[in-house]
Amino acid sequence: MLKEPVLKIIITVLTSFALGLLLGKIVIPMLRKLHAEQSIREEGPKWHNSKAGTPTMGGLIFIGCTFLCLLFGIRNMAAGDFSALYVLALSLCFGAIGFLDDFFKVKLKRNLGLTAIQKSLLQMAVAAIYLYVLYRSGLMSCDLYIPFVGATLHIHPLVYILFAMFVVVGCVNAVNLTDGLDGLATGVTIPVMVLFLVISIATKQMNLALFPASLLGGLCAFLTYNFHPAKTFMGDTGSLFLGGAVCGMAFALDVPLILIFAGLIYVIEALSDIIQVTYFKLTHGKRVFKMAPIHHHFEKCGWSEEKIFIIFVGITVVMCALAWFGVAPRYQ
C-alpha cells in the first residue's frame, strides 16, 4: 500500500501529463493564430530554415502544468511550507524574462530580443532575491556539500550568495543554449527532474517534491509536441523557466554541486559556446567546432536530430544516476 505523500506525487505527475496534453491542443493553435512564430538564426544550419514559422513560446504548456504544485501543496503551504512556491516563483521570473525576449523576437520578426546586458541584469536581480529568501527561510545553508567526498565546506553567507548568483545565471543560460534542437532541452531536463524528485522524497521534503513532479509530467506531455519534427518550440519563455527550475531545485535541496553531474550536458553546451567564441576572437576567425553550441557541431558532422537527442538524454540519465550515488550517503 503506497503512503499518502507518495501517492500524491504519482497523482501529480499523471495529472500534469494529462493537463499538458490538453494544453497543447489549446496553446499551439492559439500561438499560430497570434503569429508567434520562430525566427531561425541566419548563421545556423541551412536545413533549419524549414522550421521557420513553427509556433514558439510553447513552454507555456509545461509552465501551466507546474501550477499544480500549488494546488496539491496548498495544505502544506497553509502550515508554512513555501518551498515549492519559492522555486515556482524563481522559475516564473526567469520565464517572464524569456517571454519578453520572445515577444521582441516575434514583434520584430528577427532572432534577437533583449540585449545581453538587459538579460544579465534582470537575471542577476532575480537570482539574488531568490537566494536571499532561501537563506532567510532556512532552506539554504552556506555549507557547500561536496558529492562523493562527503565533506562540507562552510562559506561566509555573503560570499556564498555571490557565488550562487553566478551559478544560477550560468545554469539558466546553459539550459537556454541546450534548447537548439527539437526536444533536446525537454528530453535532457526530464531525468534531471526525476533526480530532484527522488532527492526530495529521500529528504522527506514532500511539498518541495510537488514542483519537480508537476514539471516532470508537463515536460513528458510537451515532448509529444516538441520531439522532431517539432509542432512547437518552447522559446526562451520555456528554456529560461526550465533553467530557473533546475538551479532553483538544486539550491532549495542545498546540493548545488550536483549540477556538475546531473547538468553535464548543460555544462558542455555552455563550455562549447564559450570556447568557440574565445578561440574565434583570439585567432581572428578560426574555430574549434564546426558550429556552437556543440549539438550543432554534431549536426554538421552528419548526426540526425534524433541521434543527438538519444545520446544526450542517455548521457544525462547515466549522470543523474551517478549524481544520486554521490549525494545518497548524506541522507542515510
Side-chain angles (χ1 to χ4, degrees), residues 74-306:
I74 192 166
R75 184 188 301 175
N76 302 79
M77 282 185 279
D81 185 351
F82 300 107
S83 53
L85 178 60
Y86 294 151
V87 182
L88 176 61
L90 175 75
S91 305
L92 287 173
C93 286
F94 278 115
I97 296 170
F99 180 83
L100 286 174
D101 204 33
D102 283 332
F103 176 78
F104 287 123
K105 288 176 185 177
V106 170
K107 184 178 180 181
L108 300 175
K109 297 297 180 184
R110 59 192 178 95
N111 199 39
L112 292 171
L114 296 172
T115 66
I117 293 178
Q118 288 172 333
K119 280 195 283 190
S120 296
L121 289 175
L122 286 170
Q123 290 173 359
M124 292 293 279
V126 169
I129 294 170
Y130 173 72
L131 293 164
Y132 179 74
V133 169
L134 276 192
Y135 176 69
R136 294 296 296 176
S137 65
L139 283 170
M140 183 185 77
S141 70
C142 293
D143 297 325
L144 188 64
Y145 180 78
I146 305 173
F148 298 103
V149 177
T152 301
L153 182 64
H154 182 72
I155 303 173
H156 187 278
L158 181 59
V159 176
Y160 187 89
I161 289 176
L162 287 173
F163 151 78
M165 283 171 61
F166 284 101
V167 172
V168 169
V169 174
C171 175
V172 168
N173 287 291
V175 175
N176 186 35
L177 286 171
T178 306
D179 182 37
L181 296 180
D182 294 359
L184 187 58
T186 310
V188 167
T189 306
I190 286 173
V192 176
M193 283 302 124
V194 171
L195 173 64
F196 288 141
L197 180 56
V198 170
I199 295 176
S200 299
I201 294 172
T203 55
K204 295 181 173 58
Q205 298 183 68
M206 303 310 291
N207 194 52
L208 181 59
L210 291 172
F211 180 83
S214 301
L215 185 51
L216 174 61
L219 285 174
C220 288
F222 181 70
L223 188 59
T224 66
Y225 298 109
N226 188 226
F227 190 72
H228 185 72
K231 299 179 182 67
T232 184
F233 301 131
M234 66 174 67
D236 283 358
T237 303
S239 61
L240 293 186
F241 178 92
L242 286 188
V246 170
C247 60
M249 282 300 303
F251 279 100
L253 290 168
D254 214 14
V255 283
L257 292 185
I258 204 173
L259 292 172
I260 298 171
F261 305 96
L264 181 64
I265 292 297
Y266 306 139
V267 174
I268 291 173
E269 293 276 14
L271 282 177
S272 69
D273 206 51
I274 294 169
I275 291 169
Q276 184 85 326
V277 171
T278 303
Y279 189 75
F280 184 86
K281 290 181 177 179
L282 290 176
T283 60
H284 305 289
K286 292 183 180 180
R287 292 175 169 83
V288 176
F289 306 104
K290 293 183 178 181
M291 187 177 176
I294 201 167
H295 55 257
H296 288 316
H297 170 80
F298 289 120
E299 267 195 296
K300 291 207 167 190
C301 288
W303 290 22
S304 67
E305 292 196 41
E306 293 93 334

Side-chain angles (χ1 to χ4, degrees), residues 9-29:
I9 295 298
I10 294 172
I11 292 172
T12 302
V13 174
L14 295 177
T15 304
S16 180
F17 178 74
L19 178 61
L21 292 177
L22 176 62
L23 285 175
K25 299 293 185 183
I26 299 169
V27 172
I28 296 174

